[in-house]
Each structure stands twice: as C-alpha cells, then as structure tokens.
Amino acid sequence: MSDPSKVAFLGLGAMGFGMATNLLHHFPNTTGFDVWAPTLSRFTAAGGNAAQTPVAAVKGAKYVVFMVTSAAQILSCLFDESTDTDTSTSTSAATALEKGAIVILCSTTPPDHARAVRQKLDAVGRSDVAVVDAPVSGGTVRAADGTLSIFAAGAEADVRAAKPVLDGMAGSNLWVIEGGLGAGTNVKMVHQVLAGIHVIVACEAMGFAARLGLNTQWAFEELQRGEGNSWMFGNRTPHMLVDDKKIYSAVNNFVKDIGIITTGGRAVGLPLFLSSASEQVFVAGFSAGYGAKDDAELVKIFLPNDLNLVLEQTSLATTSSKDASKLDLVAKLMAAVHLVAAVEATTLGAKVGLQPQQLFDICVGAAGTSFMYKDRIPQLLSGKWTSKKTVDKVIAELKVSVEAAQQLKYPLPLSGTALQLLQLASLRGLGKEPDVAISRIWDGVDGPLFPGSKV
Amino acid sequence: MSDPSKVAFLGLGAMGFGMATNLLHHFPNTTGFDVWAPTLSRFTAAGGNAAQTPVAAVKGAKYVVFMVTSAAQILSCLFDESTDTDTSTSTSAATALEKGAIVILCSTTPPDHARAVRQKLDAVGRSDVAVVDAPVSGGTVRAADGTLSIFAAGAEADVRAAKPVLDGMAGSNLWVIEGGLGAGTNVKMVHQVLAGIHVIVACEAMGFAARLGLNTQWAFEELQRGEGNSWMFGNRTPHMLVDDKKIYSAVNNFVKDIGIITTGGRAVGLPLFLSSASEQVFVAGFSAGYGAKDDAELVKIFLPNDLNLVLEQTSLATTSSKDASKLDLVAKLMAAVHLVAAVEATTLGAKVGLQPQQLFDICVGAAGTSFMYKDRIPQLLSGKWTSKKTVDKVIAELKVSVEAAQQLKYPLPLSGTALQLLQLASLRGLGKEPDVAISRIWDGVDGPLFPGSKV
C-alpha cells in the first residue's frame, strides 16, 4: 500500500546521496537503491533504508525519485524485471509501483525522455502513476542542503502532487515550468549551454593568461572584476590554481550534458556554434583520459607541453607578470565569448518554446550566470539595445587577442568561433549596431526570434 | 654588373634546395645562400655556387629568388646589413642589388608583404629593381622537377622580365595573376584554405574510421572512390598507414599558412569557420609537440590514447572491419566538410578580388582539389545549381555521422562546424535548395558574391 510518508530514491551518486540524505529530514522513511553497495551502506548509516533491487525500493512508496546517471538507467530501473524481495518473484518496478505513485525524474536526460517514460508507463497500464520532469542544478553542497534549483514540469496536478518532495530538495529554489513534460529538462539544457561554454572559456582564458606570462592568481582576481566574469569562472578557476586533486565536477558530466545540448540543437535545426566547439574540447578531454577528472583540469588540454603552467604561475614575480595590457587581451576574449554564449543559450531557449523572461530569471541566479548574461539578455528580451559597444568594436577588440594568441601559437577554439560569428554579423550590416545584435545571426525565414530589435 | 645568366637563390630548405638545384639546368651560374651550412655544402656539391651572406649572393645577379620561410626573413635578407665579402664592408642586399635586378618572392607570406617589399625598396631609392609576387605550390618532388605551380603577379613588365626564371621553376605550370603585387599570394592563400582543411579532415576522418573499428587500409581505398575524396586525402593518408618516420610536409608549414589565411579573413571581414577550426587543430598539434613532424601525424591528435590506431588497423580482420554502413558514416562527413571547404575558399577568393574562374582553374589542378571542389564550384560560378543533393539532405546524412561520433566520444571539430553552418543555411530557408546554396551564408549587405543563384 502507498505510504504517503515513504520515498524511494534511486541513484545515490555524488548528487543523489546528498539529496536522499537531506530528504531524510523531511521523509525519515526513505529507501535508497544503488548498484554500488558501499554508497548503500553509507545511506543506511545516515539513517535511511536500503533496497537491493528497484522493485524492492519502490514497493509501498508514494514518491519515487530518480537521480541515476542516464535516461537508459531510468528505463532499465523502471521496465527491466528485478526481484521482489518479499515474494521472491520477478517483476518490473513499473508493475510494482503503488497505485497513484509519483515518479520524479531528477537526472539530466534528453528533452524527450520524460515523455517517453510517460508513454511507456501508459503502455503497461500505469496511467494512474504521475510523472514529473524535475532536473536539478546547483552541485553537491546544495544537494545536501536541500537548496538545489529544480525545474519542475508536467501535468499541473502531477507537479502539485510532487511538491512535498520537491520542496524538500529545493527549499525556495523550486521553479515550476510551463510546457509539460520535457520543459523542465529544456530549462536545464539551456542552463548547461551557459555553464558548459563558461567552463571551457575559463580554461581557454586561464591557459592564455599563463602563456602570456601572467601571474595567474593575480589574473584570476583581476578578471573577476571585468566584463568577462562568470559564476563558473569564479567557481572553477580556483581549482586550477591549487593542486588539491579533488573532483568537484567530472568532465564526464559535461560530456553527457553538452551531448544533450547539441542533440537538442539538431532536433530543432538550430546551429549552436559555441556549444559545438565546447563539445569538441570536452570530448577531446575525455579522449585524453580526463573523463573522471575535475573539469577544471581541462585547462591542461590548452597547455599540453606545460600541463601545470597555470598552477606554477600563481606567484610568478617577473616584472611583466602583472602586465595590464596583456591581461586586457584575456579580458576581451572572455567578454566576447560570454556575450555570444548568452545569446546562443537564450536563442535555444526561445526555439524550444521556453518563456524567455522566466528562463532568464532562473539562469541569472544559477551557475550559468555571467556579467554579459545579466547585462545583455534583458536588452535582447526588451528589444532596447542600450549596450554602448558595437559589434565592430567587439570584433576590433577580439582581433587583438586572437592575433596575440596566433603569435604564441596558442589555440583559442571558443574565441576563434566567436570571432567568426561576430564577423558574420558585421558582414550582414550589423557592425554599427549594439553588440547584442549578434542575435540576428540566428534569424530564421520567419524573422527574428526576439521582437523589437533595431534592425 | 648584372649578369643575365646569374641567379641568386636565398633559402635552401626542403623546397628551396630542389628549386635551386633544378634551376642549375637553366642557369648554371646560380648562387645559393642559406644560414644552415650543410645545405649550402650540398648545393655546391650539386654544382651551384655558395654565398656566405645575402649581400654576397645578390651581387652580380640579374634574378634574385627568395624561398626563405617567412616574410620577416625576406625583409631581414634585403634590408639588414651583411658583409660584402669582396670589399669586406657592410651593406644591405637592397643596396647591393644590381641595377634593374628582378626580385622574385616565392615564399608564402601575408598578402600585403610583396607590396611592403616594393615600398621599402622605393624608400631606399631602388625603384629600378623589379619585384614579382610568385608563391609556389606542389611539394618537394615538383620543386626538384621544375614543375611547381607558380602564381605570378606584379607590374606586367616585371612579370615578363622574371619569366625565364619562373619558366625554369614551373615549366608549363606558370599562372600569371591579374591584380598586381599580392594577387599571386592571394591565390596561394585561397589554395591553402582548401589544402589545410583537407589535411585536417583527412585526419579527422581516418581517426574516426579507426575508432569505428574499420580496417583503415580498406577504408582509405574505398573512401577515395567517394564524394569525400580530395588530393590531400590521397596524398597524406598513406603516411598514416605506414610508419616510415618521414617528414613530407611539417605541421609548422600549415601553422604558418593557415595563420595567414585567418589573418587574411580578418583583414577583409570575412568569417572563415572551417579555416579557423582547422587552425585550432594545427596549433593544438604544434602545442603538443608535432610542429616539426609530418602533418599526417595530426591524426594522433584525434586519438590521444590510441596514437597508432590508424596504423595498427591497416590489416584488421574482424568480421565488422569492412562494414559498409560504418564506412558510409566516414564518407558522408568527408563529403560535407569538403563541400563547405570548397565554398569557403571560393568565397574568400572572390572577396579578395581574384577572378573566380581562373582561381578555379588553378586550384582544381593543384593539391587543393577535391571531388566536391571540382563538381560543385562550377555550379557556384555559373549560378546553375544542378546538384541533386539538398542542404537538408546533407544535414540529414551528416547528423548520422555526428551522432555516431558522439556515441563513441570521438571529436569532430571540422564536421561539427560544417553541421552548424549547414543548419544556419537551413534556418535561412535554404534547406530545399541544392547543397551549393550553403554559399549564401556569406552573403553581405550588398547581396550575394556569386550571381545567378536560385534564391
């Protein structure tokens, strides 16, 4: 029988363990499941119950939360048969779910996944079960605090029914997204466009700073004050500046998430130049053996013959190590890439049907935020292009950085891509417009996605 | 006194040594200069004269050929002072040049370099000296055979005066380019857009074939028969399939040439997406220590944890090693990248003012040629878009390849870039047009660069 106090929590990884442990404060009768026995033991030590199979976990639970690593694992947990430990018979979790159970999908998956789960449950006669699309953002600390950002979507009654558990995991950071199953995942996808590009540009920029001979600790502090700053820059760069061997967020996470993004772009026919360029760096990192390492280590991809240069130059004391003109080369490329990233993400959001203002309100307060995102996207959404910097001015500044890197034979995959896009905008006659006019690159045959632009 | 039989040849590297040695058949009185003593000894052993300084080399010569590695070296040879070994006084080669001497610039340099040499000679009172912009293409074998392609430009009288030497180096492959000093270099630059991208896509494709588990010797043979074939693919891939340790063309050559290309694109405000993406791979290769190695070795950049996979799988005998459907994934991405490369190069040529038909006639017979270039560019130039494949069809095919690579976590920097551009074209309503419509991406505010397109 469905017990309104009982939660099943499937997937006790770095994020899931914190989320489930936190949920024990609100739902002491939470049962965890994971294929990795040690994490299950840790969870019982923290006061939870442990199940050996998905079927055993979901039995009796009103709420079933999934935080496994992929869509494939969710489908396997729900629809593959496993042993019901009470009866020693074999059945699927989909069959074993209590009547009216509420399935809450928190893993990051492709946007069509939640709808696929809904259809498969219907197909096996489980239309009584509610499904909520509820991807999360915020990292392991907020997972354990119960303050994750959660983007919840689905049938209105289902989202309402899931609210006690969602509130337990998100506190005041629960966002309800219009648009049905998949809309929450679309928000997460767009957020990861920003987050993923920002991680790579942080690596590209800090590697460049090091190759320019700058004191990297000083450069980090200075660059945070500039137009190229982002939440990710502030969060990831310290991991490049100390060698603590910790894994805050593994490269593999973004290999998966950015694959979802470029797949999503292909599905709606939208070119995502910076996302695609970032994907190549993440995948190159994976290929080079960085998959399980912290994503800040990708700075090493930019410095293959001086892997620790950023680390080594944290206290460099040459006379030119605090050269403001060299620092400006880095600042300018960061500003340009963050500008284009902000527009690319916002364009994808509009294209997949998200409400632009809500999307902005979510991302500006989350890990995907940046100076450029916060400053320029309101201009894009309102159509009031007040930026004092023109497209041609951004090009002129970025060119100087790109030419300096060319002299050093230092690769700039993101800055190089951003420059080509800006030049394309200028070729189209947008050079004298405020820089947010770069958005017009994505105009379709039906005209601009955003109203009120000046051109 | 100027001796009409005397040639000075500065720069006896891999190309220059063959060129100068061949010139001895036509001009036995050729004096070589190089900073590296062993090559100078080899040249005297081959029957030439040796000079210890640029000034000593140019004295008495009617023709002065430069095949040093960079624009900076040409300027140094001409305008820095060196010792006149006859008089033991110090002077510059520019001063020491015989009256009416003909300076022939064969090195690949930025397009404004030949004009800069002209201006500097005028500034030191040497308006009597002729300057010819004469970059070459064809590799070391043709250099030694005297059958290099040479793209000669400059004042008409100067080019005519240089003809005996140009004919000696080029045989029937001498092209006279309209447009004055720099126009020859522009031809070379556009040719290198094709050649450079084709080298990288050969690496990207063969690494992908290997990761797909194909027999790479078989894949190479099959792919040459397809729409993705290019001269570079046929020329470079054999160097991936045997481990002969030879350096046919060093990575550093393209690091330089592609830097000239992207600099040239910035100078005219034209976005060059594939050139820029290729530059990142060349520069990443340089950074990883491949600068002095053969450029076919860049396939290893795509396989950092299986450096010799392409080589190892030349005789792979598993049942799936000759899988036609996997091969097709490689063929399709090669076709798409070569299509976009052909259009990108032709667009740059038109933008820098080259005569499109002559440019095509040159490149189609040179190392930059490809199946796509030969088939699609006449359609672009005539405006008769007869290709049966639409933009959307190319996208549909390329998507399958990109998704397969994504599954394997194999990076595709060029194919990924090409896909974004094709999607941009489709977004603009060009999806149902023949694939050569991708050219409309580069339309400026003044309309298309190529007349007669269907849209």
Side-chain angles (χ1 to χ4, degrees):
Chain A
M1 239 190 87
S2 165
D3 176 348
S5 75
K6 189 184 168 197
V7 174
F9 200 105
L10 294 91
L12 301 170
M15 290 290 290
F17 184 83
M19 290 163 73
T21 307
N22 164 69
L23 265 185
L24 289 171
H25 301 310
H26 308 275
F27 297 87
N29 188 14
T30 293
T31 300
F33 167 75
D34 200 283
V35 290
W36 199 52
T39 190
L40 214 49
S41 308
R42 271 182 74 209
F43 187 60
T44 53
N49 311 313
Q52 301 304 316
T53 66
V55 167
V58 305
K59 277 189 69 171
K62 178 170 183 184
Y63 305 101
V64 179
V65 183
F66 281 96
M67 195 57 196
V68 293
T69 56
S70 68
Q73 288 184 9
I74 291 175
L75 295 179
S76 171
C77 284
L78 273 174
F79 299 103
D80 291 352
E81 297 205 340
S82 62
T83 303
D84 178 344
T85 44
D86 291 343
T87 62
S88 295
T89 55
S90 193
T91 186
S92 76
T95 306
L97 285 168
E98 298 300 326
K99 189 166 168 55
I102 299 146
V103 171
I104 302 171
L105 304 171
C106 292
S107 308
T108 299
T109 60
D112 57 0
H113 172 71
R115 290 189 297 275
V117 169
R118 172 76 277 163
Q119 285 160 9
K120 282 175 190 289
L121 285 169
D122 291 346
V124 297
R126 296 310 308 263
S127 300
D128 60 299
V129 171
V131 177
V132 178
D133 173 31
V136 308
S137 175
T140 52
V141 173
R142 286 172 56 194
D145 283 351
T147 59
L148 284 173
S149 293
I150 301 190
F151 320 122
E156 202 180 326
D158 292 357
V159 175
R160 200 181 321 119
K163 207 157 176 301
V165 169
L166 295 172
D167 283 341
M169 299 190 292
S172 60
N173 297 317
L174 176 65
W175 296 85
V176 177
I177 313 296
E178 301 287 314
L181 289 176
T185 291
N186 278 335
V187 170
K188 168 83 185 196
M189 176 174 75
V190 172
H191 179 269
Q192 295 304 81
V193 169
L194 296 162
I197 296 170
H198 295 177
V199 166
I200 299 300
V201 71
C203 295
E204 184 170 308
M206 288 307 296
F208 188 36
R211 286 282 277 112
L212 284 165
L214 295 175
N215 175 313
T216 45
Q217 178 66 44
W218 173 79
F220 170 57
E221 287 158 16
E222 294 293 323
L223 290 166
Q224 282 185 285
R225 287 196 267 275
E227 293 199 330
N229 193 31
S230 69
W231 189 94
M232 278 293 181
F233 184 70
N235 182 265
R236 296 307 207 263
T237 309
H239 311 161
M240 305 176 202
L241 300 175
V242 293
D243 186 19
D244 66 2
K245 314 274 186 210
K246 281 192 199 156
I247 297 159
Y248 299 90
S249 179
V251 168
N252 283 335
N253 296 341
F254 266 115
V255 169
K256 187 188 76 157
D257 287 6
I258 208 149
I260 289 171
I261 291 163
T262 54
T263 303
R266 290 194 293 272
V268 294
L270 193 76
L272 298 171
F273 289 92
L274 283 182
S275 300
S276 176
S278 300
E279 181 174 28
Q280 305 312 326
V281 181
F282 280 117
V283 170
F286 172 86
S287 301
Y290 290 92
K293 297 189 176 172
D294 190 62
D295 56 24
E297 287 209 42
L298 289 180
V299 70
K300 296 178 180 174
I301 289 285
F302 291 85
L303 300 163
N305 276 353
D306 304 282
L307 293 178
N308 293 309
L309 199 65
V310 171
L311 182 65
E312 287 159 12
Q313 290 187 187
T314 51
S315 51
L316 193 71
T318 63
T319 45
S320 68
S321 75
K322 297 185 178 179
D323 181 325
S325 65
K326 285 184 180 173
L327 186 78
D328 197 49
L329 297 172
V330 187
K332 289 300 195 300
L333 77 79
M334 290 180 71
V337 172
H338 283 93
L339 163 71
V340 180
V343 174
E344 182 166 303
T346 303
T347 303
L348 177 61
K351 190 81 179 177
V352 298
L354 295 172
Q355 204 280 321
Q357 187 62 48
Q358 187 188 41
L359 180 64
F360 174 76
D361 292 341
I362 292 170
C363 293
V364 79
T369 196
S370 69
F371 177 95
M372 278 289 167
Y373 186 77
K374 188 173 180 179
D375 189 75
R376 299 302 202 272
I377 298 308
Q379 298 182 31
L380 182 65
L381 301 186
S382 70
K384 291 177 188 143
W385 294 355
T386 53
S387 168
K388 295 214 168 43
K389 202 177 268 192
T390 63
V391 168
D392 281 347
K393 177 71 176 166
V394 180
I395 292 172
E397 291 176 348
L398 183 53
K399 264 187 184 180
V400 180
S401 305
V402 167
E403 278 159 16
Q406 209 167 37
Q407 289 293 322
L408 290 171
K409 294 176 185 152
Y410 177 82
L412 293 176
L414 295 204
S415 308
T417 302
L419 179 57
Q420 309 314 312
L421 284 170
L422 289 156
Q423 288 183 326
L424 192 64
S426 188
L427 192 67
R428 298 260 168 79
L430 299 160
K432 306 282 177 270
E433 298 290 330
D435 56 10
V436 71
I438 181 74
S439 59
R440 302 296 307 270
I441 289 292
W442 283 273
D443 284 1
V445 276
D446 305 328
L449 278 168
F450 301 102
S453 48
K454 284 189 182 169
V455 178
Chain B
M1 237 190 91
S2 165
D3 176 348
S5 76
K6 188 181 169 196
V7 175
F9 201 105
L10 295 91
L12 300 170
M15 290 289 290
F17 184 82
M19 291 163 74
T21 307
N22 163 70
L23 265 185
L24 289 172
H25 301 309
H26 309 276
F27 297 88
N29 189 15
T30 292
T31 298
F33 166 75
D34 200 283
V35 291
W36 200 51
T39 190
L40 214 49
S41 307
R42 271 181 75 209
F43 188 60
T44 52
N49 311 314
Q52 301 304 318
T53 66
V55 167
V58 306
K59 275 190 71 174
K62 179 170 182 184
Y63 306 101
V64 177
V65 183
F66 281 96
M67 194 59 197
V68 292
T69 56
S70 69
Q73 288 185 8
I74 291 175
L75 294 179
S76 171
C77 284
L78 274 174
F79 300 103
D80 290 353
E81 297 206 341
S82 62
T83 303
D84 177 342
T85 44
D86 290 344
T87 63
S88 297
T89 55
S90 193
T91 185
S92 76
T95 307
L97 285 168
E98 297 301 325
K99 189 166 168 58
I102 300 147
V103 171
I104 303 172
L105 304 171
C106 293
S107 309
T108 300
T109 60
D112 57 0
H113 172 70
R115 290 189 296 276
V117 169
R118 171 77 277 163
Q119 285 160 8
K120 283 175 190 289
L121 284 170
D122 290 347
V124 296
R126 296 311 308 262
S127 299
D128 61 300
V129 171
V131 176
V132 179
D133 173 31
V136 308
S137 175
T140 52
V141 173
R142 287 172 57 193
D145 283 351
T147 59
L148 284 173
S149 294
I150 300 189
F151 320 122
E156 203 181 325
D158 292 357
V159 175
R160 200 181 319 119
K163 208 159 176 296
V165 168
L166 296 172
D167 284 341
M169 299 191 292
S172 59
N173 297 317
L174 176 65
W175 295 86
V176 178
I177 313 297
E178 301 286 314
L181 288 176
T185 291
N186 277 336
V187 169
K188 168 82 184 195
M189 177 174 75
V190 172
H191 178 270
Q192 294 306 81
V193 170
L194 296 162
I197 296 170
H198 295 177
V199 166
I200 299 301
V201 71
C203 295
E204 182 169 309
M206 288 306 297
F208 188 35
R211 285 285 275 113
L212 285 164
L214 295 175
N215 175 313
T216 45
Q217 179 66 43
W218 172 79
F220 171 56
E221 288 158 15
E222 295 292 323
L223 291 166
Q224 283 185 285
R225 287 196 268 275
E227 292 198 331
N229 192 32
S230 69
W231 188 93
M232 277 294 180
F233 183 69
N235 183 264
R236 295 306 207 266
T237 309
H239 311 161
M240 304 176 201
L241 301 176
V242 292
D243 186 19
D244 66 2
K245 314 273 188 211
K246 282 191 198 156
I247 297 158
Y248 298 90
S249 180
V251 168
N252 283 336
N253 296 341
F254 267 115
V255 169
K256 187 188 77 159
D257 287 8
I258 209 147
I260 290 172
I261 291 163
T262 54
T263 303
R266 290 193 293 270
V268 294
L270 193 76
L272 298 171
F273 289 93
L274 283 182
S275 301
S276 176
S278 300
E279 182 173 29
Q280 305 312 327
V281 181
F282 279 118
V283 170
F286 171 87
S287 301
Y290 290 93
K293 296 190 177 173
D294 190 63
D295 57 24
E297 287 209 43
L298 289 180
V299 69
K300 296 177 180 175
I301 290 284
F302 292 85
L303 299 163
N305 275 354
D306 304 281
L307 293 179
N308 293 309
L309 200 65
V310 171
L311 182 66
E312 287 159 12
Q313 290 187 191
T314 50
S315 52
L316 194 72
T318 63
T319 46
S320 68
S321 76
K322 296 185 179 179
D323 182 325
S325 66
K326 285 183 180 173
L327 186 78
D328 198 50
L329 296 172
V330 187
K332 290 299 196 296
L333 78 80
M334 290 179 71
V337 172
H338 283 91
L339 163 71
V340 181
V343 174
E344 182 165 303
T346 303
T347 302
L348 177 61
K351 191 80 177 178
V352 297
L354 295 172
Q355 204 280 320
Q357 186 63 47
Q358 185 188 41
L359 179 64
F360 175 75
D361 293 340
I362 292 170
C363 293
V364 79
T369 197
S370 69
F371 177 94
M372 278 290 166
Y373 186 76
K374 188 173 179 178
D375 189 76
R376 300 300 203 273
I377 297 309
Q379 298 182 33
L380 182 64
L381 300 187
S382 70
K384 290 176 188 145
W385 293 357
T386 53
S387 168
K388 295 215 170 39
K389 200 176 270 190
T390 63
V391 168
D392 281 348
K393 177 71 177 164
V394 180
I395 292 172
E397 291 176 347
L398 182 54
K399 264 186 184 180
V400 179
S401 305
V402 167
E403 279 159 15
Q406 210 168 39
Q407 289 295 319
L408 290 171
K409 294 175 186 153
Y410 177 82
L412 292 177
L414 295 204
S415 308
T417 302
L419 179 57
Q420 309 315 313
L421 284 171
L422 288 157
Q423 288 182 326
L424 193 64
S426 188
L427 192 66
R428 298 263 167 77
L430 298 160
K432 305 284 179 268
E433 297 291 329
D435 55 11
V436 69
I438 180 75
S439 59
R440 302 296 306 270
I441 288 293
W442 282 273
D443 284 1
V445 275
D446 304 327
L449 278 169
F450 301 102
S453 47
K454 283 189 181 170
V455 177

